[in-house]
Amino acid sequence: MKIAYSAASPYVRKVMACAIARGLNDKIERWTVGTTDPALLPFNPLSKVPSFVTDDGMMLYDSPVICEYLDSVGSAARLFPDAGPARWNALRQQALGDGIMDASQPRRREIALPQDDGRKAYIDLQRGKVSRAIDALEKEAASFGELKTIGEIAVGCALGYLDFRFANEPWRPGHPKLDAWYAKVVMLPPLAETMPKG
């Protein structure tokens, strides 16, 4: 298996955290490639990371798809629960974690550009999404486990991305339950071994 890789991408981190949780980390070749590199296009017409190639040559992209594929390989405990309420809950949490990343990545880019009223409004809109998501996670953090579901992994990666790129906007104040949960799980291998760099 092979992944188009960036050590700074929270989506790549989510995939690799799943690989570690599933015992597949050392079975995946990492290919460090930029999203503007034409060499990536045959693997993903969207030219994004993560892009993934399975052992039989199938090309997959977008972290939810790749994570679900990894969940089908091997015999470790599944991160995607079977059909029913637990599955929907895990998928909803994954969407919330991904949504934090989706709002944070473009905001980081926009902050570095000249600030007109439209750009400021966009940045505020994205910051509001993150703030509301963190508030929602605080309400359920007491029920979170130790990175046993795709939802918990996505949330952990999202919080780590906020620490990595927005350390000047701490999310912990006012969110003691989420803070306590993250302090525990960030020490576990899926997150501890995938700390972002760059």
Side-chain angles (χ1 to χ4, degrees):
M1 296 181 283
K2 179 176 180 178
I3 186 169
Y5 181 87
S6 164
S9 166
Y11 306 101
V12 170
R13 185 184 192 191
K14 186 176 77 160
V15 169
M16 297 314 299
C18 287
I20 291 167
R22 299 275 302 149
L24 302 169
N25 186 38
D26 46 353
K27 293 180 170 55
I28 300 172
E29 176 189 347
R30 289 154 181 77
W31 173 36
T32 302
V33 61
T35 56
T36 58
D37 189 329
L40 183 57
L41 287 173
F43 298 90
N44 183 343
L46 302 172
S47 195
K48 294 169 68 174
V49 296
S51 299
F52 193 84
V53 183
T54 67
D55 280 338
D56 59 5
M58 183 170 50
M59 293 175 219
L60 302 174
Y61 26 88
D62 212 13
S63 64
V65 175
I66 300 168
C67 290
E68 192 153 7
Y69 172 78
L70 291 175
D71 210 42
S72 74
V73 178
S75 58
R78 300 288 300 271
L79 298 169
F80 287 76
D82 291 332
R87 179 176 177 81
W88 296 120
N89 192 51
L91 293 178
R92 178 189 57 78
Q93 288 171 349
Q94 177 182 216
L96 201 51
D98 284 358
I100 290 171
M101 297 184 265
D102 292 345
S104 298
Q105 277 205 319
R107 182 163 72 97
R108 179 175 175 267
R109 181 184 61 243
E110 294 295 316
I111 287 170
L113 298 173
Q115 297 296 295
D116 58 23
D117 288 344
R119 188 159 281 130
K120 288 177 184 175
Y122 177 82
I123 290 168
D124 286 344
L125 176 69
Q126 302 309 317
R127 184 185 295 121
K129 291 177 183 179
V130 172
S131 178
R132 290 189 300 275
I134 296 294
D135 288 345
L137 290 169
E138 172 68 13
K139 291 176 184 171
E140 60 183 296
S143 69
F144 289 173
E146 296 188 345
L147 305 178
K148 300 298 186 189
T149 70
I150 187 58
E152 292 168 2
I153 285 177
V155 169
C157 290
L159 297 177
Y161 188 72
L162 295 178
D163 283 349
F164 178 51
R165 293 300 194 198
F166 296 94
N168 62 324
E169 298 177 14
W171 57 265
R172 289 170 177 80
H175 305 101
K177 293 175 186 171
L178 192 58
D179 181 14
W181 173 76
Y182 184 70
K184 285 190 305 186
V185 298
V186 76
M187 307 302 291
L188 299 176
L191 295 184
E193 295 176 20
T194 58
M195 285 293 179
K197 298 174 188 151

